[in-house]
PDB file of all heavy atoms in Angstrom:
ATOM      1  N   GLY K 289      62.647   8.321  80.535  1.00 94.00           N
ATOM      2  CA  GLY K 289      63.060   7.643  79.311  1.00 94.00           C
ATOM      3  C   GLY K 289      61.964   7.563  78.268  1.00 94.00           C
ATOM      4  O   GLY K 289      62.249   7.542  77.074  1.00 94.00           O
ATOM      5  N   HIS K 290      60.728   7.522  78.685  1.00 95.00           N
ATOM      6  CA  HIS K 290      59.640   7.451  77.707  1.00 95.00           C
ATOM      7  C   HIS K 290      59.514   8.781  76.964  1.00 95.00           C
ATOM      8  O   HIS K 290      59.628   9.862  77.555  1.00 95.00           O
ATOM      9  CB  HIS K 290      58.315   7.114  78.402  1.00 95.00           C
ATOM     10  CG  HIS K 290      58.119   5.639  78.608  1.00 95.00           C
ATOM     11  ND1 HIS K 290      57.783   4.784  77.577  1.00 95.00           N
ATOM     12  CD2 HIS K 290      58.224   4.869  79.716  1.00 95.00           C
ATOM     13  CE1 HIS K 290      57.671   3.550  78.048  1.00 95.00           C
ATOM     14  NE2 HIS K 290      57.939   3.571  79.350  1.00 95.00           N
ATOM     15  N   LEU K 291      59.261   8.671  75.662  1.00 95.00           N
ATOM     16  CA  LEU K 291      59.159   9.852  74.814  1.00 95.00           C
ATOM     17  C   LEU K 291      57.732  10.336  74.653  1.00 95.00           C
ATOM     18  O   LEU K 291      57.503  11.391  74.057  1.00 95.00           O
ATOM     19  CB  LEU K 291      59.748   9.547  73.429  1.00 95.00           C
ATOM     20  CG  LEU K 291      61.181   9.004  73.432  1.00 95.00           C
ATOM     21  CD1 LEU K 291      61.626   8.683  72.019  1.00 95.00           C
ATOM     22  CD2 LEU K 291      62.138   9.991  74.096  1.00 95.00           C
ATOM     23  N   SER K 292      56.787   9.573  75.150  1.00 95.00           N
ATOM     24  CA  SER K 292      55.384   9.964  75.045  1.00 95.00           C
ATOM     25  C   SER K 292      54.622   9.346  76.209  1.00 95.00           C
ATOM     26  O   SER K 292      55.232   8.837  77.156  1.00 95.00           O
ATOM     27  CB  SER K 292      54.808   9.512  73.694  1.00 95.00           C
ATOM     28  OG  SER K 292      53.521  10.058  73.505  1.00 95.00           O
ATOM     29  N   GLY K 293      53.303   9.389  76.137  1.00 96.00           N
ATOM     30  CA  GLY K 293      52.494   8.914  77.238  1.00 96.00           C
ATOM     31  C   GLY K 293      52.696   7.436  77.534  1.00 96.00           C
ATOM     32  O   GLY K 293      52.921   6.626  76.629  1.00 96.00           O
ATOM     33  N   VAL K 294      52.605   7.076  78.810  1.00 97.00           N
ATOM     34  CA  VAL K 294      52.767   5.689  79.262  1.00 97.00           C
ATOM     35  C   VAL K 294      51.374   5.127  79.507  1.00 97.00           C
ATOM     36  O   VAL K 294      50.598   5.676  80.298  1.00 97.00           O
ATOM     37  CB  VAL K 294      53.633   5.612  80.536  1.00 97.00           C
ATOM     38  CG1 VAL K 294      53.898   4.160  80.901  1.00 97.00           C
ATOM     39  CG2 VAL K 294      54.942   6.364  80.332  1.00 97.00           C
ATOM     40  N   TYR K 295      51.052   4.016  78.824  1.00 96.00           N
ATOM     41  CA  TYR K 295      49.696   3.479  78.833  1.00 96.00           C
ATOM     42  C   TYR K 295      49.514   2.276  79.755  1.00 96.00           C
ATOM     43  O   TYR K 295      48.394   1.985  80.156  1.00 96.00           O
ATOM     44  CB  TYR K 295      49.285   3.076  77.416  1.00 96.00           C
ATOM     45  CG  TYR K 295      48.822   4.232  76.561  1.00 96.00           C
ATOM     46  CD1 TYR K 295      49.232   5.528  76.824  1.00 96.00           C
ATOM     47  CD2 TYR K 295      47.972   4.027  75.484  1.00 96.00           C
ATOM     48  CE1 TYR K 295      48.826   6.596  76.044  1.00 96.00           C
ATOM     49  CE2 TYR K 295      47.550   5.084  74.689  1.00 96.00           C
ATOM     50  CZ  TYR K 295      47.984   6.361  74.973  1.00 96.00           C
ATOM     51  OH  TYR K 295      47.571   7.413  74.203  1.00 96.00           O
ATOM     52  N   CYS K 296      50.572   1.540  80.070  1.00 96.00           N
ATOM     53  CA  CYS K 296      50.407   0.315  80.848  1.00 96.00           C
ATOM     54  C   CYS K 296      51.689   0.038  81.618  1.00 96.00           C
ATOM     55  O   CYS K 296      52.768   0.546  81.282  1.00 96.00           O
ATOM     56  CB  CYS K 296      50.069  -0.878  79.937  1.00 96.00           C
ATOM     57  SG  CYS K 296      51.288  -1.178  78.642  1.00 96.00           S
ATOM     58  N   MET K 297      51.575  -0.804  82.642  1.00 97.00           N
ATOM     59  CA  MET K 297      52.745  -1.205  83.428  1.00 97.00           C
ATOM     60  C   MET K 297      52.460  -2.533  84.113  1.00 97.00           C
ATOM     61  O   MET K 297      51.300  -2.929  84.314  1.00 97.00           O
ATOM     62  CB  MET K 297      53.110  -0.133  84.458  1.00 97.00           C
ATOM     63  CG  MET K 297      52.052   0.104  85.487  1.00 97.00           C
ATOM     64  SD  MET K 297      52.587   1.168  86.858  1.00 97.00           S
ATOM     65  CE  MET K 297      53.867   2.142  86.182  1.00 97.00           C
ATOM     66  N   ALA K 298      53.551  -3.230  84.456  1.00 97.00           N
ATOM     67  CA  ALA K 298      53.448  -4.519  85.150  1.00 97.00           C
ATOM     68  C   ALA K 298      54.717  -4.736  85.934  1.00 97.00           C
ATOM     69  O   ALA K 298      55.826  -4.412  85.475  1.00 97.00           O
ATOM     70  CB  ALA K 298      53.216  -5.662  84.161  1.00 97.00           C
ATOM     71  N   LEU K 299      54.563  -5.327  87.126  1.00 97.00           N
ATOM     72  CA  LEU K 299      55.703  -5.667  87.984  1.00 97.00           C
ATOM     73  C   LEU K 299      56.047  -7.140  87.827  1.00 97.00           C
ATOM     74  O   LEU K 299      55.153  -7.992  87.748  1.00 97.00           O
ATOM     75  CB  LEU K 299      55.369  -5.375  89.444  1.00 97.00           C
ATOM     76  CG  LEU K 299      55.525  -3.923  89.904  1.00 97.00           C
ATOM     77  CD1 LEU K 299      54.887  -3.743  91.276  1.00 97.00           C
ATOM     78  CD2 LEU K 299      56.987  -3.526  89.937  1.00 97.00           C
ATOM     79  N   HIS K 300      57.332  -7.435  87.791  1.00 96.00           N
ATOM     80  CA  HIS K 300      57.768  -8.823  87.733  1.00 96.00           C
ATOM     81  C   HIS K 300      57.501  -9.474  89.090  1.00 96.00           C
ATOM     82  O   HIS K 300      57.781  -8.885  90.137  1.00 96.00           O
ATOM     83  CB  HIS K 300      59.254  -8.900  87.379  1.00 96.00           C
ATOM     84  CG  HIS K 300      59.685 -10.245  86.915  1.00 96.00           C
ATOM     85  ND1 HIS K 300      59.929 -11.287  87.779  1.00 96.00           N
ATOM     86  CD2 HIS K 300      59.910 -10.741  85.669  1.00 96.00           C
ATOM     87  CE1 HIS K 300      60.299 -12.357  87.086  1.00 96.00           C
ATOM     88  NE2 HIS K 300      60.295 -12.052  85.805  1.00 96.00           N
ATOM     89  N   PRO K 301      56.969 -10.700  89.126  1.00 94.00           N
ATOM     90  CA  PRO K 301      56.610 -11.294  90.425  1.00 94.00           C
ATOM     91  C   PRO K 301      57.793 -11.696  91.284  1.00 94.00           C
ATOM     92  O   PRO K 301      57.658 -11.788  92.511  1.00 94.00           O
ATOM     93  CB  PRO K 301      55.778 -12.526  90.021  1.00 94.00           C
ATOM     94  CG  PRO K 301      56.203 -12.839  88.632  1.00 94.00           C
ATOM     95  CD  PRO K 301      56.562 -11.552  87.994  1.00 94.00           C
ATOM     96  N   THR K 302      58.960 -11.953  90.699  1.00 94.00           N
ATOM     97  CA  THR K 302      60.108 -12.430  91.487  1.00 94.00           C
ATOM     98  C   THR K 302      61.321 -11.518  91.402  1.00 94.00           C
ATOM     99  O   THR K 302      62.186 -11.582  92.278  1.00 94.00           O
ATOM    100  CB  THR K 302      60.516 -13.841  91.027  1.00 94.00           C
ATOM    101  OG1 THR K 302      60.823 -13.811  89.628  1.00 94.00           O
ATOM    102  CG2 THR K 302      59.393 -14.828  91.288  1.00 94.00           C
ATOM    103  N   LEU K 303      61.424 -10.694  90.383  1.00 94.00           N
ATOM    104  CA  LEU K 303      62.570  -9.802  90.215  1.00 94.00           C
ATOM    105  C   LEU K 303      62.170  -8.366  90.494  1.00 94.00           C
ATOM    106  O   LEU K 303      60.999  -8.000  90.379  1.00 94.00           O
ATOM    107  CB  LEU K 303      63.130  -9.910  88.787  1.00 94.00           C
ATOM    108  CG  LEU K 303      63.570 -11.300  88.326  1.00 94.00           C
ATOM    109  CD1 LEU K 303      64.031 -11.243  86.879  1.00 94.00           C
ATOM    110  CD2 LEU K 303      64.672 -11.842  89.215  1.00 94.00           C
ATOM    111  N   ASP K 304      63.150  -7.570  90.857  1.00 95.00           N
ATOM    112  CA  ASP K 304      62.907  -6.155  91.140  1.00 95.00           C
ATOM    113  C   ASP K 304      62.998  -5.342  89.858  1.00 95.00           C
ATOM    114  O   ASP K 304      63.824  -4.426  89.717  1.00 95.00           O
ATOM    115  CB  ASP K 304      63.919  -5.635  92.174  1.00 95.00           C
ATOM    116  CG  ASP K 304      63.673  -6.216  93.554  1.00 95.00           C
ATOM    117  OD1 ASP K 304      62.522  -6.620  93.810  1.00 95.00           O
ATOM    118  OD2 ASP K 304      64.614  -6.290  94.352  1.00 95.00           O
ATOM    119  N   VAL K 305      62.155  -5.663  88.903  1.00 96.00           N
ATOM    120  CA  VAL K 305      62.109  -4.925  87.645  1.00 96.00           C
ATOM    121  C   VAL K 305      60.667  -4.538  87.356  1.00 96.00           C
ATOM    122  O   VAL K 305      59.717  -5.210  87.765  1.00 96.00           O
ATOM    123  CB  VAL K 305      62.697  -5.741  86.468  1.00 96.00           C
ATOM    124  CG1 VAL K 305      64.187  -5.942  86.632  1.00 96.00           C
ATOM    125  CG2 VAL K 305      61.985  -7.074  86.316  1.00 96.00           C
TER     126      VAL K 305
END
Side-chain angles (χ1 to χ4, degrees):
H290 276 285
L291 306 177
S292 189
V294 186
Y295 279 24
C296 57
M297 63 171 26
L299 278 168
H300 197 281
T302 58
L303 303 177
D304 290 336
V305 292

